């Protein structure tokens, strides 16, 4: 009979779970940077006891992710700039509308990865306007993911949306 090792405990369904220190060594960065990546949502993690563990495949995705932005992501960024302009004009009204949308989205997506992004939108809507504007307009991987799960439907009129998309071409 074989005794289970820590390595066995860190394997689930054939996937390696790495400590933040191991992940840092593989990326060539500090352990704190890996912790920051997990806190920002750029690197998914699981909690084992009180410690963060990252899947090797998620680490590889971050390691080899491209900074190139797709055409769809460029359109989403342009629309986000327009939404940011609306927030600058009427922060309370836009937040109210986004909160209504977010409530409906969270009811439909109570689990899984979309639920994680929607929870982050909730934190942003509840926080300072500058953080919200930064998340909307940043070119970071995290912001790209957030924009794919945006609660800002209906903030722009159809004419405004069409104009933004026309200009993006």
């Amino acid at each position: 009979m074989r005794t289970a090792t820590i390595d066995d405990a860190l394997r689930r369904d054939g996937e390696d779970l790495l400590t933040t220190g191991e992940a840092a060594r593989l990326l060539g960065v500090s352990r704190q940077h890996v912790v920051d990546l997990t806190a920002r949502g750029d690197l998914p993690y699981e909690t084992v006891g009180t410690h963060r563990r990252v899947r090797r495949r998620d680490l590889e995705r971050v390691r080899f992710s491209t900074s190139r932005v797709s055409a769809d992501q460029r359109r989403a960024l342009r629309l986000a700039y327009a939404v940011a302009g609306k927030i600058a004009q009427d922060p309370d009204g836009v937040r109210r509308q986004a909160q209504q949308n977010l409530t409906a989205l969270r009811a439909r997506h109570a689990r899984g990865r979309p639920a994680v992004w929607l929870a982050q939108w909730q934190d942003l809507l509840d926080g300072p306007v500058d953080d919200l504007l930064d998340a909307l307009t940043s070119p970071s991987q995290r912001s790209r993911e957030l924009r794919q799960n945006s609660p800002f439907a209906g903030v722009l009129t159809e004419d405004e949306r069409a104009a933004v998309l026309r200009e993006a071409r």
Side-chain angles (χ1 to χ4, degrees):
M1 187 163 157
R2 187 169 97 97
T3 305
T5 66
I6 292 203
D7 285 340
D8 293 331
L10 293 178
R11 289 184 194 278
R12 181 177 299 157
D13 299 325
E15 290 188 296
D16 288 327
L17 289 176
L18 306 169
T19 66
T20 53
E22 291 168 329
R25 279 189 295 282
L26 289 170
L27 290 176
V29 299
S30 70
R31 188 193 69 75
Q32 185 60 51
H33 182 69
V34 172
V35 170
D36 292 343
L37 287 171
T38 62
R40 286 195 317 256
D42 291 337
L43 179 61
Y45 70 95
E46 293 183 23
T47 304
V48 176
T50 60
H51 302 284
R52 296 172 198 225
R53 299 289 188 256
V54 296
R55 286 191 179 90
R56 186 176 298 274
R57 69 181 169 137
D58 292 329
L59 186 68
E60 294 300 317
R61 180 189 51 78
V62 167
R63 186 176 182 191
F64 296 112
S65 68
T66 178
S67 60
R68 285 185 44 193
V69 179
S70 70
D72 183 50
Q73 290 170 336
R74 278 193 303 277
R75 282 189 299 273
L77 181 57
R78 292 280 184 110
L79 290 168
Y81 282 134
V83 169
K86 292 281 195 161
I87 291 171
Q89 293 172 355
D90 182 15
D92 294 335
V94 173
R95 280 182 169 186
R96 214 173 10 262
Q97 186 168 3
Q99 184 59 55
Q100 290 170 351
N101 292 339
L102 189 60
T103 300
L105 287 167
R106 291 181 89 178
R108 284 197 313 253
H109 303 287
R111 299 167 62 152
R113 203 70 196 140
V116 172
W117 296 116
L118 295 174
Q120 289 189 30
W121 275 122
Q122 183 66 64
D123 291 342
L124 288 164
L125 288 171
D126 292 341
V129 170
D130 287 345
D131 291 350
L132 179 59
L133 293 172
D134 183 53
L136 273 170
T137 60
S138 170
S140 73
Q141 182 66 32
R142 174 183 181 242
S143 289
R144 287 187 225 169
E145 297 282 344
L146 280 167
R147 285 190 293 268
Q148 295 303 310
N149 298 281
S150 174
F152 295 100
V155 169
L156 301 175
T157 66
E158 276 306 311
D159 288 342
E160 290 169 330
R161 188 176 183 286
V164 169
L165 295 176
R166 194 171 40 256
E167 290 298 318
R169 280 188 225 131

